[in-house]
Amino acid sequence: MIQELHDIQAGAGATFAELTTKEIVPVSFGNDAEAIAATKQGAALYDRTHWGRIQISDSDRLRFLHNQSTNNFNILKPGQGCDTVFVTSTARTIDLATAYATEDAVLLLVSANRRHQLLELLDRYIFPMDRVELTDLTDTTVAFSCLGPQSTQLLEKIGATELDNQPYATHKLINFAGIDVRVAVGSGLATPGYTLIAQAGDAANLWKELVKAGAVPMGDRVWEQLRIEQGRPAPDFELTDDYNPLEARLLHTLTYDKGCYIGQETIARLNTYKGVKQQLWGVHLSGAVEPGTAVTIGEEKVGKLTSFTETESGFFGLAYIRTKAGGEGLKVQVGSVSGEVVNVPFLSS
């Protein structure tokens, strides 16, 4: 079923690569500049099928997720959603996920390289009395993101109305040309847009219809560039055992008054006593540099570069910077190149 989608993408010029997690993704459609322009002036279409989709169902689903991650699930109504962070018992980051509550389940959209870890983690915390059921829907569904200022008009062409100006992660199930599609507000980045989830058997037809409606196909290489430019932290780069959600500045995912959950004590203590010693920032760079390179001021190490990309306007990275060193506007050295610390749109200020 997914092969049919890949055949259509290949016919449109896509080149593919295998991720470390074994998923095959379209890296580029040979139109990177056009795709970037579409995210700013039109609508780009990105295939997120390699991301994980985990369904949590049965009557204890909201209470269970409420206790497993940083956001408030008990207040979610069907048709609503939120971003949330899964953390270790010491509040170290595992993954940034998006949750969509339906009438009878919650669907989690998680990073490809955290899907199996999260399935194991969640399963470990289901006790005999819990009425919770986990289902991995990754292989039976697809996910696409539509990014750009024309995304609303494009989706209106396929009947996805009533979501314009709705809160983030608001979602609705629509039927378009015989295809059931869950359309949710939010592209996964700071760029305005929508996320679409459908059955794998409908993947090829849905992709074709979206392109026919005017969406410009966009490969994983452009997504990664935009992710870094906009500051979305990613597992194995910004989300690791070295950092917590406060340091990653994922403040929109944290609910301080929700009661006990995994990692809650550490997060509450950091917040109460202003204990955040480093924070994630963007860095304009004067040249290319490898992730992992130390960030310094003079002889003093003040942080570490976690991601790097080259954009049409120069070199850019994400770095954790010591809070005491400063923030926006700070001049730093990253290896042999100079840098200036800047804010990024995805992160809470």
Side-chain angles (χ1 to χ4, degrees), residues 52-56 106-108 110 115 118-119 122 134-135:
R53 287 165 295 285
I54 301 170
Q55 178 180 278
I56 296 90
V106 176
L107 182 61
L108 292 176
V110 306
R115 163 191 166 197
L118 285 173
L119 278 165
L122 292 171
L134 289 183
T135 312

Side-chain angles (χ1 to χ4, degrees), residues 200-260:
D202 294 319
N205 285 338
L206 180 58
W207 182 272
K208 272 194 295 192
E209 292 298 334
L210 290 166
V211 172
K212 194 162 78 177
V216 176
M218 181 181 105
D220 195 59
R221 186 164 63 203
V222 172
W223 171 274
E224 184 65 6
Q225 178 186 321
L226 294 174
R227 175 193 81 74
I228 297 167
E229 278 188 287
Q230 296 182 13
R232 178 180 174 125
D236 297 332
F237 295 92
E238 293 76 34
L239 304 179
T240 72
D241 269 349
D242 295 324
Y243 310 111
N244 63 61
L246 285 162
E247 293 171 333
R249 292 170 66 202
L250 293 171
L251 306 186
H252 71 288
T253 70
L254 300 172
T255 306
Y256 295 111
D257 59 357
K258 63 175 265 183
C260 191

